[in-house]
Amino acid sequence: MTSNSQMNFSQMKQAALVVAAALFMQMLDSTIVTTALPQIATDLKVAQSTASLLVSVYMLFSAIFIPLSGWLAKKVRRKNLFLIAVGLFTVSSVLAGLFNNLTYLLVMRAIQGMSGALMVPVGRLIILENTEPKKMLQILSYLVWPALLAPAIAPLLGGYVIASLSWHWIFFLNLPIGLLIILTGAFFILDDNEREDLPFDLFGFLLVAVAGGGLLIASEILSRGLSLFFWGFLVLFVALVFLALAWHHLSASDQPLFSLEPLKVKTFRVYESGGSIFWMTIGALPYLLTLVLQVAFHWSPIMAGTYVIFIFVGNIAIKPFTTVIIRCLGYKYALVVALSLASLATFLMAAFHADSAKAWIAFVAFVSGIGRSLALTSYNSLSFSELSKEQKNSANTLTSVLQMLSQALGVGIVATILALLGQVMKTTLAYQITFLIVGLVSMYPLLEVLTLPKDAGAQTLS
């Protein structure tokens, strides 16, 4: 077995691609199910709001078990843990497509959420701890692709699969991907971490799990409309109380579930605050654009998905140049350019109407993709650039929790705003104002990045 210290750039790249494939599978699965909800509801003879529990349960179990990943990664061999999680995710995916029963589907989705919560954070930790600082930008750039690709292609891919086959096949898609990850991971992931005999912080785990789960449940309730608004805010308040308790416990405990020490490093802290808000827009925009094209403009799902995929075309177009841009401008100004483009595109989307030229819609989506790709590449590399090896485990766990919550909350908040605005104005106007709100919120990460020093993360650019 090749040890960590002997891993060369080629081996690190191969391992990063395996982890990227796992992240892609997880993100594709979590987004493509949304496309299939109307067909699942019809087939199972339940309301669409009931079928949406398939998304909520997945997110809930992810939120609960992600905090466990960092502790387990110290207790057992990380490579084995990663491969077992991939296998469990794949098997539960296939089983989810075999029967038409809502309770059975919810159990399978819970297992998917649990295994996905272990799969991606552990895989990313392997890459982080095996990568030299000067190679960080190049290696972590591979982990950006899934976050950009999956949400963009999911509506189109889901539309084609459902139209030509059935919703069951959206779960079967994970079988070849999962098998490929297991086979390549067994050969290409070279990791032999030292195991530590650490006590389990059960109290911290429960506090974080309740806080994260509560935020997701509150988001789901608030998105159901005005009738449940009081209960949604009540759950949100309780979740925020538990979040404050979890923060206090993790800060004060001698052996916390994961440490908050990395937040003292500004480059990491900027990613966890402004970067989390940016992740919210990453989750919300493809969802919002798909909805406005289908619901407000009455496009078919396949046609809407075709134009949403121009976000990914923008991702592809800029990707070969992201490393060069970051090296020339530095992280700070690369992020300024990227976040400015992403915010501008969001404001332009607010001006879309039924008679907008299709070429213009495609171009704006393309610009949004350019901004997203450059921003995520910059953020991912910068966030870990100044952390010590000892800080990376806790930092990775915290990043995984906030990233997952941000994506889920992004969709939930957008759905809530649309539900509220839809009560008092026309559908098209409700979508336009929602785009404006998302655009305004996306300005915060840009303002925060301006506070970074010019040479932030410079050691990874040499």
Side-chain angles (χ1 to χ4, degrees):
M1 177 64 65
T2 305
S3 68
N4 295 356
S5 60
Q6 295 174 308
M7 287 183 69
N8 57 38
F9 179 75
S10 176
Q11 292 168 332
M12 289 189 291
K13 183 171 68 173
Q14 291 168 340
L17 287 172
V18 173
V19 175
L23 177 56
F24 171 79
M25 180 172 68
Q26 183 203 43
M27 295 194 70
L28 180 67
D29 183 90
S30 62
T31 51
I32 201 172
V33 170
T34 305
T35 308
L37 287 180
Q39 287 74 20
I40 293 175
T42 300
D43 202 13
L44 300 184
K45 297 180 175 59
V46 298
Q48 186 162 337
S49 58
T50 302
S52 69
L53 289 172
L54 294 172
V55 176
S56 304
V57 165
Y58 177 90
M59 291 294 184
L60 180 62
F61 275 78
S62 293
I64 290 173
F65 284 96
I66 282 178
L68 191 61
S69 63
W71 180 77
L72 281 175
K74 294 179 179 179
K75 294 285 289 185
V76 300
R77 191 180 179 206
R78 292 182 304 215
K79 177 178 177 177
N80 292 345
L81 181 59
F82 172 76
L83 294 176
I84 290 170
V86 172
L88 187 58
F89 188 93
T90 305
V91 170
S92 58
S93 298
V94 174
L95 292 177
L98 293 180
F99 299 101
N100 292 348
N101 180 278
L102 182 61
T103 302
Y104 169 84
L105 271 174
L106 290 173
V107 172
M108 290 301 107
R109 290 292 284 170
I111 296 174
Q112 278 187 291
M114 178 189 69
S115 53
L118 301 178
M119 176 174 70
V120 173
V122 172
R124 184 165 54 199
L125 181 61
I126 291 172
I127 303 304
L128 286 172
E129 291 201 0
N130 283 301
T131 302
E132 303 172 72
K134 63 182 181 180
K135 300 292 185 182
M136 190 76 73
L137 175 58
Q138 291 172 277
I139 294 299
L140 291 189
S141 66
Y142 291 104
L143 301 186
V144 174
W145 280 89
L148 300 169
L149 172 59
I153 71 168
L156 181 61
L157 180 61
Y160 275 115
V161 169
I162 294 164
S164 58
L165 297 167
S166 72
W167 61 263
H168 304 79
W169 283 87
I170 65 172
F171 294 109
F172 297 153
L173 288 175
N174 290 332
L175 179 59
I177 303 174
L179 290 176
L180 180 63
I181 294 168
I182 292 171
L183 291 174
T184 55
F187 287 99
F188 295 146
I189 293 179
L190 307 174
D191 180 71
D192 191 21
N193 59 295
E194 294 182 6
R195 270 71 83 191
E196 301 177 38
D197 185 20
L198 296 173
F200 180 57
D201 180 15
L202 178 61
F203 186 54
F205 172 73
L206 292 175
L207 288 175
V208 174
V210 173
L215 287 172
L216 290 178
I217 293 171
S219 175
E220 175 69 21
I221 295 174
L222 289 170
S223 69
R224 299 300 177 92
L226 291 173
S227 60
L228 296 174
F229 217 60
F230 170 78
W231 295 108
F233 267 106
L234 181 60
V235 175
L236 178 61
F237 174 77
V238 173
L240 291 175
V241 170
F242 272 89
L243 184 62
L245 292 172
W247 184 279
H248 175 73
H249 171 78
L250 295 173
S251 300
S253 176
D254 292 332
Q255 292 184 310
L257 184 65
F258 56 88
S259 173
L260 300 180
E261 184 74 18
L263 289 172
K264 294 179 180 179
V265 180
K266 185 169 185 177
T267 48
F268 180 74
R269 188 170 65 248
V270 162
Y271 179 55
E272 299 308 300
S273 52
S276 294
I277 292 175
F278 186 71
W279 270 105
M280 290 174 66
T281 66
I282 290 292
L285 273 181
Y287 167 81
L288 186 55
L289 184 57
T290 302
L291 281 183
V292 75
L293 296 179
Q294 290 188 39
V295 178
F297 301 169
H298 307 293
W299 292 14
S300 70
I302 290 178
M303 186 176 180
T306 301
Y307 281 81
V308 172
I309 209 169
F310 274 92
I311 295 175
F312 175 61
V313 175
N315 299 338
I316 294 177
I318 195 63
K319 199 70 185 71
F321 310 104
T322 52
T323 299
V324 175
I325 292 171
I326 294 169
R327 289 191 187 281
C328 290
L329 299 180
Y331 285 110
K332 177 178 180 175
Y333 293 110
L335 279 167
V336 168
V337 171
L339 295 172
S340 297
L341 286 174
S343 296
L344 174 62
T346 305
F347 286 122
L348 291 174
M349 288 178 187
F352 286 169
H353 51 81
D355 297 325
S356 294
K358 291 182 172 64
W360 174 244
I361 292 175
F363 176 73
V364 173
F366 178 82
V367 172
S368 177
I370 289 175
R372 287 154 57 97
S373 181
L374 181 56
L376 282 181
T377 302
S378 303
Y379 262 137
N380 272 331
S381 300
L382 176 65
S383 61
F384 293 96
S385 64
E386 298 177 359
L387 297 179
S388 66
K389 183 176 180 179
E390 292 72 25
Q391 292 174 318
K392 286 179 179 177
N393 186 303
S394 291
N396 181 60
T397 302
L398 184 58
T399 295
S400 299
V401 172
L402 291 179
Q403 183 175 306
M404 190 279 301
L405 287 175
S406 297
Q407 287 180 279
L409 289 173
V411 174
I413 290 170
V414 163
T416 302
I417 294 171
L418 283 174
L420 292 174
L421 295 178
Q423 304 283 330
V424 295
M425 61 184 65
K426 293 182 179 179
T427 301
T428 301
L429 182 58
Y431 279 101
Q432 289 175 332
I433 293 177
T434 303
F435 272 116
L436 282 174
I437 292 171
V438 173
L440 289 171
V441 170
S442 71
M443 295 297 291
Y444 174 78
L446 175 59
L447 296 174
E448 187 181 47
V449 161
L450 291 173
T451 68
L452 285 171
K454 292 181 180 180
D455 61 348
Q459 61 269 40
T460 67
L461 301 178
S462 58

